[in-house]
Amino acid sequence: MAKRTFRLFRGNRETGGDLKEYTVECDEGMVVLDAVHRVQAEHAPDLACRWNCKAGKCGSCSAEVNGKPRLMCMTRLSDYPPGMTLTITPMRAFKSLRDLVTDVSKNYENNRRLPHFQPRRPDFPDGEFRMFQYEVERPQEFRKCIECFLCQDVCHVLRTHEKHEEFIGPAFFVRAAVYEMHPADEGDRLAHVKEEGGIGYCNITKCCTEVCPEHIHITDNAIIPLKERVADRHYDPLRWLLRKLTGRG
Amino acid sequence: MGIDFQRHTFDVIVVGAGGAGLRAAIEASAQGAKTAIICKSLLGKAHTVMAEGGAAAALGNVRPEDNWRVHFRDTMRGGKMHGNWRMAQIHAQEAPDRIRELEQWGALFDRTKDGKISQRPFGGHTYTRLAHVGDRTGLEIIRVLQDKGVHSGISVFMEFTVFHLPLADGRVAGALAYDRERGRFHLFGARAVILATGGIGKAWQITSNSWEYTGDGHALAYRAGAELIDMEFVQFHPTGMVWPPSVRGILVTEGVRGEGGVLRNSEGKRFMYDYLPDMFRGEFAETDEEADRWVAGDQKNNRRPIELLTRDVVARAITSEIKAGRGSKHGGVYLSIAEKRGPEYIKKKLPSMYHQFKELAGVDITREAMEVGPTTHYVMGGVKVDPETQETNVPGLYAAGETAAGLHGANRLGGNSLSDLLVFGRRAGGAAAEAALAVKSGGEIPDGDVQSMIQQALAPFEREGGENPYAVQADLQRAMQENAGIVRDEAGLRAALADIEKLRARAAGVGAWGHREFNPGWHTCLDLQNLLIVSEATCRGALLRTESRGGHTRTDFPESDPKQARVEYVIRRRGEEMTVEARPQPDLPPDLDKIIKEGA
């Protein structure tokens, strides 16, 4: 089988690191993650990368292949011309830790701060809610999120403008949307999405949607409806007046 | 002067953040225990996300005739009558409440027409029983538990690896770990420790399991003096991908067969009809027409398709067909859903299978058959626990989920793992919290003990010119695949044990390069120790079990031996020696025995 050369980022972006070349044998059907593992086993046992399921279900092996955010386990080598050198670098929007591994802890912090599911009373005596398939399908789309954070990586608010403290990013609008559109939820996340979440920063360029390996329509189905709800609540002049008069809402 | 380490103190420590670990931690925390989860990967990446088909619970939403007795009977018979009856009873009785509880925590299961939780058929289950979300049920469950957990005030230590359980006064006293980001050491003092680290599938070459599945919990428990049982019972899932080589072993959900998928050999024959065990005679469709009517929705008047036999039976059948030269192009058999269901239905009910084959193999499952073959999937054996509390024979040490043994006997039914995690995760968490809060203070862990374990963990860095740990791991996987895989015999098992002995010597000489921060090579050096323990345990149990039962098939003893049905082989550490002995299990009480014999 054919050999291929990979340029892998080694080290730490902030404190020093660079691209190193490795050449390994590549078999039919191999994905980028296989090649990284081969480098690890044959040339660089200390090469750091995250991975778990190797089937596109856990979202651990996010990185950039020739500058494009990808899951390494779902990127086939045969998608690139034979012999082409592939450059594999860590996600750029996050602080570099070592080699292909980045610091994604802010994402977990964002999730912890997001107001949790607040159930209404169950509809059946056994504790189940009466929810119909057409109702659950809307939030189910957002539940496909595998927390790969590629949408965070590609989002220019985070990647270019580094607004990590003011903007929770597409992944957490998706998470907020799960509960906001959950038929049995009584919670309210709009204030959070507007204030802490900084949803106004998003100017719907849809980069997140394009990169999502789960094909979630992040912009159309999660972010835009949330933006509309925020606008309805906070910027509708009638509601504004009502709020002024009643002091509520 | 030793190596620096940081101290943390909790009431309950949970090792592992899959379904069992998260459910245990949620319960321990709810009972008022200060609880921490320590997990090897990032939160939400544990193997539970890979569970596709569903969680088995006798909700009776689709088939009102279903109840815990039928589920209990299916579990015991599916486990070839080897399982722990009390665990099977508790599991069947409590699973429905655990599923409904997830709904209260925000889970979004697929629905029936009248708005209740929908259920799907699966191998070995008499009735349509699995609560599911398309074919990504595990992802839904882990996300729900993860969100519930982080909003319950549980501390989470991500990318930490536990490598030692210190004891004090005969009780477990905590956990010693290192963090991957910086390579620093941490001593967690605790009055109860719950092991929920999953399975051992990385000991084989062809596996559906991730790098994490190195038997950590099994090995930690063993070293701490706990008993392991049933380690010979390893489930080889009948349907893993076989082509291309790099995806070999990746799971193809049993849901494909649940939705009507048909297995065929290279001659186009639906071969499962030839492999019906006597035990299940009369319970499955005998013609394609009957199976088709069942698939079309008339499940009252027709019996299940033959492909829904238990996993051990299907995996053995596939292996026989391949051996007889009737395999598919790349050494598997054909699994076709396209001949029974339309493209839209397939994409809706099996979306991740559709994508997995499309993206990794270039196969469109709405038009073509998949090529599938057996892959290492799950270990029925594990740490011996008390059925009520999940406590091991080491006071203060608990195990739940795949790490614990008993529920599934000699073969696990699909869908029973997700419900197992919830039922026994909760029980372990509750019992551990109660015990921890009753113990006045944690035992003193001697500093010397900690220092010597840290020195051992760091030893690979000291070995200049040490062997590459990946090479040793690969050789171990080869040895296990060859001689302790889906079919075994005495000569092969002895050869595997001899290989393990040699590999142990090599593992003592492996080296780590570079520094301690995020170093997977070093990590592999530590994993090897655990893999060697579980591999040896599997081989020793398999050698003693001179019969074929469930996941354990001996070509030199092809029949089941009724005398060994209720015998478990117990593995224990005596000094540095691994010992194994036979122990009879208690008989079923008359009321449960009646359910088995006369039907529920």
Side-chain angles (χ1 to χ4, degrees), chain B residues 94-161:
Chain B
E94 296 182 1
D97 281 347
R98 296 288 79 75
I99 295 296
R100 294 186 187 116
E101 181 175 71
L102 289 182
E103 180 149 299
Q104 291 297 314
W105 296 347
L108 287 154
F109 290 107
D110 285 350
R111 316 307 293 180
T112 63
K113 283 203 175 62
D114 44 354
K116 298 204 82 186
I117 296 171
S118 179
Q119 295 176 277
R120 76 153 41 115
F122 234 56
H125 293 280
T126 301
Y127 295 123
T128 295
R129 189 176 281 148
L130 271 67
H132 61 277
V133 187
D135 57 1
R136 52 162 194 85
T137 314
L139 176 64
E140 181 74 17
I141 289 183
I142 206 157
R143 212 55 94 224
V144 168
L145 292 173
Q146 177 184 344
D147 277 4
K148 174 78 181 167
V150 295
H151 288 98
S152 312
I154 297 161
S155 304
V156 182
F157 295 86
M158 298 196 287
E159 300 189 312
F160 274 56
T161 299

Side-chain angles (χ1 to χ4, degrees), chain B residues 352-423:
Chain B
S352 62
M353 284 304 103
Y354 173 73
H355 285 294
Q356 185 172 309
F357 273 90
K358 189 112 196 158
E359 285 167 35
L360 294 176
V363 168
D364 179 355
I365 68 166
T366 66
R367 290 150 26 105
E368 309 162 68
M370 299 160 245
E371 278 188 76
V372 296
T375 179
T376 315
H377 186 53
Y378 187 91
V379 60
M380 276 69 75
V383 184
K384 168 86 174 169
V385 291
D386 176 81
E388 314 285 337
T389 62
Q390 302 289 105
E391 192 170 19
T392 68
N393 58 302
V394 177
L397 184 62
Y398 299 75
E402 191 171 350
T403 311
L407 170 62
H408 309 292
N411 171 60
R412 175 175 71 79
L413 294 185
N416 268 1
S417 182
L418 289 180
S419 41
D420 170 10
L421 306 179
L422 300 170
V423 167

Side-chain angles (χ1 to χ4, degrees), chain B residues 457-478:
Chain B
L458 289 174
F461 286 107
E462 313 293 319
R463 295 184 197 120
E464 252 175 75
E467 193 179 355
N468 181 345
Y470 292 102
V472 181
Q473 190 184 36
D475 286 348
L476 176 63
Q477 289 165 337
R478 243 190 306 277

Side-chain angles (χ1 to χ4, degrees), chain B residues 221-274:
Chain B
Y222 168 82
R223 283 198 293 259
E227 295 175 354
L228 305 179
I229 58 165
D230 295 343
M231 290 298 286
E232 64 276 23
F233 293 121
V234 177
Q235 180 165 81
F236 297 89
H237 194 290
T239 59
M241 291 177 82
V242 298
W243 188 261
S246 73
V247 300
R248 187 151 195 177
I250 292 179
L251 189 65
V252 178
T253 176
E254 188 165 328
V256 175
R257 282 172 288 138
E259 297 294 346
V262 169
L263 288 165
R264 294 191 189 277
N265 62 21
S266 60
E267 297 162 2
K269 185 170 183 229
R270 198 165 172 181
F271 58 84
M272 282 310 301
Y273 287 121
D274 302 339

Side-chain angles (χ1 to χ4, degrees), chain A residues 50-51 57 98 126-127 179, chain B residues 104 116 159 211 356 517:
Chain A
R50 286 195 179 104
W51 72 284
K57 294 191 171 66
R98 184 183 181 184
D126 61 18
Y179 297 120
Chain B
Q104 291 297 314
K116 298 204 82 186
E159 300 189 312
W211 71 275
Q356 185 172 309
E517 293 176 15

